[in-house]
Amino acid sequence: DTEVTQTPKHLVMGMTNKKSLKCEQHMGHRAMYWYKQKAKKPPELMFVYSYEKLSINESVPSRFSPECPNSSLLNLHLHALQPEDSALYLCASSPQGEPSNQPQHFGDGTRLSIL
Amino acid sequence: DAKTTQPNSMESNEEEPVHLPCNHSTISGTDYIHWYRQLPSQGPEYVIHGLTSNVNNRMASLAIAEDRKSSTLILHRATLRDAAVYYCILRGLIPNNYGQNFVFGPGTRLSVLP
């Protein structure tokens, strides 16, 4: 069982839809992350929030919009996605704000399919 | 750009020890060596991390070379549930040119044979 909870576990959406991915942690962690993982590839960092502020944006297309309403919650808003955006989206958290050398704790991801 | 290199795949027999190597010749003095594993259909799972000394926990042991340019993750008795992709990652306080201090490489896919 993971202490980082992601919902939904699966999501199928059309290219014109708007949806959101949600991530929660109640460990008091101060950094939260979004990763994208394609099949048979390692996770790639998309966004980092440190003390609820966006600190790294890895040149992700604007059709992905992150939001951190509070220290326990992280959202990823999706709009006008492309078929190549189909992937596993992983959320992670870490005890300290970035930069840090502390471990990251991952959720089990949302598997997203774009029709 | 990952700062570590690992074999693409390894095989082990069940109930035998497994030694997973990782090279990190450009490690800096403040980089910690982290190991994660990813089981099928799950997110990555933290296994162990260390700076200079060898480390042990309930999951595994981490042996770090004296010059810190390589490390080995040791699973003492492999089980079928240990079949996963194992990632060795350097994590420090100084980010790379892209502002990252935690980059996944391709990892090692471990197969455990019954």
Side-chain angles (χ1 to χ4, degrees), chain A residues 37 40-43 108, chain B residues 6-12 18-21 35-47 59-60 73 75 77-88 104-113:
Chain A
Q37 186 174 26
K40 306 290 187 185
K41 297 290 186 182
D108 284 334
Chain B
Q6 301 175 249
N8 290 332
S9 62
M10 291 183 64
E11 265 186 9
S12 172
V18 182
H19 291 236
L20 296 162
W35 282 84
Y36 291 74
R37 70 180 186 181
Q38 188 170 19
L39 281 65
S41 301
Q42 294 187 22
E45 174 188 25
Y46 166 75
V47 177
M59 290 181 70
L73 180 71
L75 307 179
R77 287 184 69 218
T79 70
L80 297 178
R81 293 178 59 187
D82 291 322
V85 179
Y86 286 78
Y87 297 103
C88 169
F104 283 87
T108 296
R109 184 172 297 276
L110 175 67
S111 301
V112 180
L113 306 176

Side-chain angles (χ1 to χ4, degrees), chain A residues 33 35 37 40-43 45 56 58 88 90 94 98-104 106-108 111, chain B residues 30 32 34 36 38 41-44 46 49 87 91-93 98-102 104-106 109:
Chain A
Y33 314 80
Y35 288 84
Q37 186 174 26
K40 306 290 187 185
K41 297 290 186 182
L45 183 65
I56 301 176
E58 294 301 310
L88 180 68
L90 293 160
S94 191
E98 290 292 341
S100 166
N101 50 36
Q102 293 296 300
Q104 293 190 11
F106 286 81
D108 284 334
R111 189 161 299 282
Chain B
T30 58
Y32 279 72
H34 285 237
Y36 291 74
Q38 188 170 19
S41 301
Q42 294 187 22
Y46 166 75
H49 77 291
Y87 297 103
R91 178 149 165 82
L93 300 179
Y98 302 96
Q100 298 182 30
N101 68 346
F102 190 80
F104 283 87
R109 184 172 297 276

Side-chain angles (χ1 to χ4, degrees), chain B residues 6-78:
Chain B
Q6 301 175 249
N8 290 332
S9 62
M10 291 183 64
E11 265 186 9
S12 172
N13 293 319
E14 198 177 9
E15 298 190 5
E16 288 187 358
V18 182
H19 291 236
L20 296 162
C22 181
N23 288 320
H24 28 79
S25 58
T26 60
I27 190 170
S28 74
T30 58
D31 283 341
Y32 279 72
I33 302 158
H34 285 237
W35 282 84
Y36 291 74
R37 70 180 186 181
Q38 188 170 19
L39 281 65
S41 301
Q42 294 187 22
E45 174 188 25
Y46 166 75
V47 177
I48 201 166
H49 77 291
L51 183 62
T52 56
S53 304
N54 295 344
V55 184
N56 301 297
N57 67 21
R58 64 175 180 82
M59 290 181 70
S61 295
L62 175 59
I64 301 172
E66 197 169 333
D67 63 6
R68 300 207 328 124
K69 293 186 177 182
S70 66
S71 61
T72 303
L73 180 71
I74 302 166
L75 307 179
H76 295 285
R77 287 184 69 218

Side-chain angles (χ1 to χ4, degrees), chain B residues 1-6 26 88-90 96 100 102-106:
Chain B
D1 52 337
K3 298 189 288 185
T4 63
T5 56
Q6 301 175 249
T26 60
C88 169
I89 303 170
L90 300 184
N96 63 16
Q100 298 182 30
F102 190 80
V103 180
F104 283 87

Side-chain angles (χ1 to χ4, degrees), chain A residues 3 5 10 23 26-27 29-30 32-34 66 83 86 107-110:
Chain A
E3 296 175 33
T5 304
H10 302 274
C23 174
H26 297 286
M27 297 178 282
H29 288 181
R30 303 313 307 271
M32 295 185 76
Y33 314 80
W34 280 115
S86 297
D108 284 334
T110 293

